Amino acid sequence: MAGHLHKKNDASAFFFMATLVMWAVSVFFEILFNKRTELFPLLTGFCFYQFANWVCRTFISRNPLLVNTCVSLLHSSLTSASVVFILVNELISNGWDELFEHSKLVKATWPWAYSALCISCGYFAYDQLDMLLYGLYSGWIPSILLHHFILLGCFTLALYRNVTINYLILTLICELHSIFLHVRKVRRMAGFRDSNSKFVKIEWFLNMVTFFLARLLSHLLITIKLVKDAAKFEKGVELPLALLGMAGMNLLNVFLGVDILKALRRERNSHES
């Protein structure tokens, strides 16, 4: 049901669409009136993934969920590669000693980190809009829409103030896990559901390993680092916003972990029966 707001849940859909419109107005105001040309990659990211959506819809399938998942897989792959590149480049340039130093994480910005964060922010805006237009969510308070709402708020404020950019790049390590979430969804929509096949077993192994290492553990370590360095933050919104954002992410990770275990159990039970 493209072209207008999907009617699955008027209240939550209206809230998330309204906040997305307010976000867009804010971004255009910053670029046009405050001359923040460094934010152009944000618009580039939105347009790039919207174009990828059109390509998938034209040449692969007109199924909104499949199209959305393919574009999400593209984002996870590109973002994971960019985050690994940024971290490896920083390690080669400055070594381990400065990588997790507080001032570097809060005040400095690694090469290409600002643009990478802008592009990912543009993707989350695109994905939020696509899910709202096609009703690709469920529940009174859809966790996926809430996830994007939190990320857009944290990412955009950090980009405006040019602080904690490197911290946020570290949070994007979780996109390594998202790759296997999207691969699983595409596989199942393609009809390949043999849970006893080697491919599916390897996929599930990588799904679980990256969930615990790249998502659950990395976000917990970032939260611990924030709490440990709390006294080093200057007075302002940076620390409260960062702690609130990470608290939300950790909570959503727990819910996601429960969903993953349920999905694994369903696939095994389906194969046995």
Side-chain angles (χ1 to χ4, degrees), residues 33-45:
F33 295 99
N34 290 338
K35 310 300 182 183
R36 299 289 301 276
T37 55
E38 69 271 19
L39 292 171
F40 272 128
L42 195 156
L43 299 181
T44 303

Side-chain angles (χ1 to χ4, degrees), residues 124-183:
F124 287 117
Y126 142 78
D127 200 41
Q128 188 86 322
L129 179 62
D130 193 58
M131 287 187 292
L132 285 167
L133 291 178
Y134 290 95
L136 306 178
Y137 56 89
S138 61
W140 283 100
I141 305 178
S143 60
I144 186 64
L145 298 183
L146 182 61
H147 170 270
H148 286 19
F149 172 77
I150 293 172
L151 288 187
L152 280 174
C154 293
F155 283 21
T156 307
L157 287 175
L159 291 169
Y160 285 176
R161 299 171 64 88
N162 200 13
V163 293
T164 66
I165 302 299
N166 295 340
Y167 256 122
L168 292 173
I169 287 295
L170 291 177
T171 66
L172 288 175
I173 294 173
C174 69
E175 291 300 327
L176 283 165
H177 171 243
S178 296
I179 291 174
F180 301 103
L181 286 180
H182 301 318
V183 166

Side-chain angles (χ1 to χ4, degrees), residues 14-32:
F14 178 80
F15 169 79
F16 287 113
M17 181 61 81
T19 55
L20 186 61
V21 170
M22 292 170 61
W23 173 87
V25 170
S26 171
V27 169
F28 278 107
F29 182 87
E30 286 292 321
I31 293 175
L32 296 176

Side-chain angles (χ1 to χ4, degrees), residues 87 90-91 94-110 163-168 170 221-222 225-226 228-233:
L87 292 177
E90 185 63 19
L91 277 173
N94 298 308
W96 282 100
D97 293 339
E98 295 186 9
L99 187 64
F100 302 116
E101 202 273 322
H102 175 76
S103 62
K104 294 288 185 181
L105 291 174
V106 176
K107 296 296 183 182
T109 304
W110 297 322
V163 293
T164 66
I165 302 299
N166 295 340
Y167 256 122
L168 292 173
L170 291 177
L221 290 175
I222 291 169
K225 174 69 172 173
L226 285 170
K228 182 181 176 181
D229 291 346
K232 299 179 182 179
F233 279 86

Side-chain angles (χ1 to χ4, degrees), residues 4 14 21 26 34 48 55 74 99 109 124 138 195 208 224 234 242 248 255 268:
H4 58 85
F14 178 80
V21 170
S26 171
N34 290 338
F48 171 77
V55 171
L74 175 64
L99 187 64
T109 304
F124 287 117
S138 61
S195 60
M208 299 301 292
I224 292 170
E234 298 177 2
F255 294 149
R268 286 180 175 175

